[in-house]
Amino acid sequence: MSSLNSKLIKNSSYINGQWHSGNGESFAVTNPVDGETICTLKGADKSDATLAVDAAVAAMPEWRAKTAKQRSAILRRWFELIMQNQDDLAAILTAEQGKPLSEAKGEIAYGANYIEWFAEEGKRIYGDTIAGATTSSRVVVIKQGVGVVSAITPWNFPNAMITRKAAPALAAGCAFIVKAAQETPLSALALAELAQQAGIPAGIFNVIVSNSSRPIGEVLTGDPRIAKFSFTGSTEVGKILLAQCATTVKKTSMELGGNAPFIVFNDANIDDAVQGALVSKFRNAGQTCICTNRVFIQSGIYQEFAEKLASEVTKLSIGDGSQANVDVGPLINDEAIESVSGLVNDAISQGAKVLVGGHVDDLGSRFFQPTVLINVTPDMSVATEEIFGPVAPLIEFDTEEQAIKLANDTEVGLASYIYTRDIGRIWRVAEALEYGMVGINEGIISNEMAPFGGVKQSGMGREGSKYGLEDYLEIKYLCMGGLDH
Ligand code: SIN
C-alpha cells in the first residue's frame, strides 16, 4: 500500500459523483502474490446498486442533451488524466491483479485508447435518408444512445474491460454503472477518481464495489430502467445473466469464454510462430479469454516447433509482477492454481509429456511454472477446457482440413490464430474458422480500432472499432410525411 499513490486509492463505491459508503459487507482486496491485504473496502448492497440506477436515470437527460463534441472533450480529458497517471494506475493494477508492471502499463494505455477512440467516434454517429413509400414521404433513420447501461467486468483486465464498455456508452450519451470484479476493484475506483477530475458529471459514471456479486447482478440485469447490459466473463455466468436480462428484454453485449486454437502449418515462419505463441499464450500468465488454449502443429514441424517453444519458455522469468524483468506473475487465487494443476496432471496421466514446467513453483503457492506439454490429444481436458493459466498443450495434425475440424470442434468461438505463408491457405482457413477473430501471423490482436468479440457461445456484440459504438445505439425510423403540402 505504501508504494501506491494514496490519492488514487479509494475504499468505497462511487455513486452519483460521491464516494459512497455502502450498506454491504466490508471486504479485503489482496495481493495475489502472497494474499496480503492491500486495503479494506466498504461493500455495496442491492439498495446501493438501486441508488446508482436512480442517479444514472436522473443524470442522463443532461448528458444526452450535450453535443457529441462537448462529450468528446470531457472524454478526452479523462483519457489524458489516465495517461498522466499511467505509472500509478499500473502499480495499483499489478498490486491487486498480479500481472507484471510492464503489462499493467500496457493495459492502462490499452484501456485509455478506447476512451480516446470513442471520444472521436462519438462525433461520427450517422443516420440515413431513404426514399419514401409515397411521393409525399421520406424515410429518415436516426441513431440515439440506448439509455442507461450497466456492466459487470472481470478481474483479468480491471481497467481496460471497463473503459471499452464505458467509453462507447458515454460517447453515445448514455449513463453507465459498473460492478467491478471483487478481486480488483481498486483499478475501477481509480478510474472513477479520474473521471470526476475530468468533469464527467455526477451520475454518468458509477462504480459499485462488493464481494457479493449475485444481488448486485440482479439489480444490474433486472432493473427495468436499465436499457442495456454488458458483461465480460465466463460463458457459464454469462448464460445466467442473459436469462436475467431477458425478463426486461435488455440489449446485451456478452464477451464470454474462449478456447483459442493456434494453428501452425509446415510452411510457416517457425521463429515468428514461436514468438506469436509465446505472447499469445503467456500474456497475463495465460489469464485472458483470447490466450492461446490449444496449439495445433502440422506434423512436418512438430518436433522443431516444440523444441524452439520450450527453449523460449525456459527463458521466461516468473515472479512478483511489481519487480523488474518479470514476465509471468502469479495466478489470481488458489482456485486458479488448483484448476491449472488439475488440467496438467490429468493430461500427464493420459500420456502427455512435460517439456518445460508442469508444477507450482517454489516461489510460492500462487505461482504456476510456464509449461509446455507435448503428445497432447484433442480429447484431453487441457484441450477442451479454457485453461486460464500459463500452459501450452501441443497437438499434432496432418492436413489443413483436419486442423480446421479440430479448431472448430468447440462450443465457443472467440479468438483463433494461424501461421502460414500461403495466401490461399490464409483465406481458406480464416474463412472456415468459426471464430469472431483470427490472428494471421500475429499473436497479439487486441486494439481499440478492431472489433473484439466472439461467435457461438463466446457471446454477442463487438467492443472497439466503429461497431463497438453501434452496440450502444438504437435505430429510430422517422416517417416524414406530408411533404407535398
Ligand atoms: C479478455 O481476456 O477478456 C480481454 C483480452 C483482451 O482485451 O485482449
Side-chain angles (χ1 to χ4, degrees):
M1 170 88 188
S2 54
S3 61
L4 303 179
N5 180 344
S6 57
K7 292 200 185 92
L8 291 175
I9 298 281
K10 302 290 170 188
N11 68 354
S12 67
S13 298
Y14 179 74
I15 295 174
N16 202 18
Q18 314 270 332
W19 298 104
H20 175 88
S21 288
N23 296 310
E25 268 180 29
S26 291
F27 66 102
V29 183
T30 58
N31 189 324
V33 167
D34 49 17
E36 265 194 28
T37 297
I38 303 168
C39 71
T40 301
L41 265 53
K42 296 169 196 143
D45 73 357
K46 248 179 148 155
S47 67
D48 302 309
T50 304
L51 210 65
V53 184
D54 297 343
V57 169
M60 213 185 70
E62 208 176 312
W63 180 248
R64 173 177 255 178
K66 286 187 191 299
T67 63
K69 192 167 173 163
Q70 286 169 328
R71 288 194 294 268
S72 174
I74 296 172
L75 287 172
R76 175 89 209 170
R77 274 205 295 281
W78 196 22
F79 159 76
E80 281 161 1
L81 282 167
I82 291 169
M83 290 312 292
Q84 280 161 24
N85 287 275
Q86 184 181 15
D87 288 339
D88 287 336
L89 291 168
I92 292 169
L93 202 162
T94 292
E96 65 179 352
Q97 200 278 333
K99 68 179 65 173
L101 210 43
S102 56
E103 269 192 55
K105 275 185 78 167
E107 181 182 337
I108 301 303
Y110 174 46
N113 286 344
Y114 283 102
I115 300 177
E116 184 188 42
W117 172 266
F118 285 112
E120 290 301 320
E121 280 301 289
K123 292 186 270 184
R124 302 189 186 103
I125 297 172
Y126 301 111
D128 298 295
T129 314
I130 306 172
T134 63
T135 52
S136 67
S137 69
R138 298 289 180 277
V139 174
V140 175
V141 177
I142 62 168
K143 292 188 184 166
Q144 294 177 301
V146 67
V148 173
V149 174
S150 63
I152 297 182
T153 51
W155 51 263
N156 63 342
F157 286 83
N159 174 296
M161 295 306 101
I162 294 177
T163 57
R164 82 176 180 196
K165 297 175 192 310
L170 267 57
C174 305
F176 184 82
I177 307 160
V178 62
K179 154 76 174 66
Q182 78 177 68
E183 295 86 350
T184 57
L186 298 178
S187 294
L189 295 173
L191 274 175
E193 165 63 24
L194 297 176
Q196 190 180 48
Q197 288 180 25
I200 294 178
I204 294 300
F205 180 74
N206 305 278
V207 177
I208 297 172
V209 296
S210 168
N211 63 348
S212 177
S213 301
R214 193 178 292 260
I216 307 290
E218 279 167 12
V219 175
L220 298 189
T221 55
D223 192 308
R225 296 171 296 169
I226 295 173
K228 162 151 187 150
F229 175 71
S230 177
F231 175 67
T232 297
S234 71
T235 297
E236 191 191 347
V237 175
K239 286 178 186 175
I240 297 168
L241 296 170
L242 262 176
Q244 289 174 198
C245 286
T247 58
T248 49
V249 195
K250 295 193 195 317
K251 268 172 101 83
T252 55
S253 288
M254 292 278 161
E255 200 265 90
L256 308 178
N259 181 0
F262 187 100
I263 309 171
V264 188
F265 290 96
N266 285 340
D267 64 78
N269 178 321
I270 297 184
D271 293 333
D272 282 358
V274 166
Q275 286 310 315
L278 207 63
V279 290
S280 158
K281 176 69 253 185
F282 296 99
R283 177 180 179 220
N284 198 13
Q287 302 172 111
T288 92
C289 301
I290 60 168
C291 270
T292 289
N293 211 57
R294 299 168 290 161
V295 189
F296 293 111
I297 311 295
Q298 203 162 12
S299 36
I301 54 160
Y302 186 85
Q303 195 66 25
E304 183 183 354
F305 181 92
E307 281 163 17
K308 285 189 162 167
L309 181 66
S311 145
E312 290 300 312
V313 169
T314 48
K315 294 182 201 154
L316 293 175
S317 82
I318 174 170
D320 177 345
S322 66
Q323 305 302 310
N325 303 321
V326 166
D327 300 308
V328 178
L331 298 192
I332 189 73
N333 54 31
D334 296 338
E335 293 80 60
I337 286 282
E338 262 168 49
S339 156
V340 173
S341 304
L343 291 172
V344 169
N345 292 337
D346 177 70
I348 294 169
S349 74
Q350 294 187 59
K353 192 170 154 236
V354 176
L355 273 197
V356 188
H359 300 283
V360 174
D361 196 83
D362 292 342
L363 265 179
S365 64
R366 295 276 176 80
F367 292 92
F368 199 90
Q369 295 168 341
T371 297
V372 178
L373 297 175
I374 54 169
N375 302 344
V376 175
T377 54
D379 54 327
M380 292 180 186
S381 28
V382 76
T384 57
E385 289 177 27
E386 195 173 16
I387 303 170
F388 243 62
V391 179
L394 271 50
I395 301 167
E396 192 170 335
F397 71 90
D398 290 317
T399 65
E400 184 180 305
E401 294 69 34
Q402 192 193 1
I404 293 168
K405 197 160 180 284
L406 287 168
N408 286 342
D409 187 19
T410 170
E411 285 175 342
V412 288
L414 190 58
S416 56
Y417 305 88
I418 57 175
Y419 274 73
T420 171
R421 307 305 307 169
D422 178 332
I423 188 73
R425 169 171 280 160
I426 286 175
W427 278 99
R428 279 194 307 278
V429 179
E431 288 182 356
L433 285 172
E434 295 163 359
Y435 288 82
M437 298 175 278
V438 186
I440 298 159
N441 299 315
E442 286 287 346
I444 292 286
I445 57 174
S446 308
N447 61 70
E448 75 281 11
M449 276 93 73
F452 188 107
V455 300
K456 304 204 284 191
Q457 294 188 30
S458 284
M460 60 197 70
R462 291 295 179 269
E463 297 189 316
S465 81
K466 65 175 181 178
Y467 305 104
L469 188 59
E470 294 290 331
D471 271 20
Y472 290 84
L473 295 170
E474 283 287 14
I475 289 173
K476 188 180 280 178
Y477 152 47
L478 312 181
C479 179
M480 300 285 294
L483 298 183
D484 52 359
H485 299 304

